[in-house]
Amino acid sequence: MNIRRDLRERWDELSGELTFIADTTLKIGEVGDDILLVKATDEIFWEDDE
């Protein structure tokens, strides 16, 4: 099974059980040989650092 598909299926199953992540989109990216999991959010985390 493709690792991305497996992660998405597991995230969908988990978000069905945990309501606080139910509307959260999981982003999956690859950097070199590493896989990054990023929780999508509308927050700008660097705004206060300017």
Side-chain angles (χ1 to χ4, degrees):
M1 179 178 281
N2 177 316
I3 186 72
R4 289 174 179 247
R5 186 177 328 129
D6 185 43
L7 288 170
R8 290 215 184 272
E9 288 175 0
R10 289 172 188 251
W11 182 258
D12 289 343
E13 182 179 329
L14 184 62
S15 65
E17 296 174 13
L18 302 175
T19 57
F20 65 92
I21 64 168
D23 295 329
T24 303
T25 301
L26 181 68
K27 304 276 185 177
I28 301 171
E30 295 179 38
V31 176
D33 293 333
D34 297 326
I35 295 176
L36 303 174
L37 304 179
V38 180
K39 178 183 167 189
T41 177
D42 291 335
E43 296 175 25
I44 300 174
F45 61 89
W46 63 83
E47 184 174 357
D48 293 336
D49 294 337
E50 293 183 353

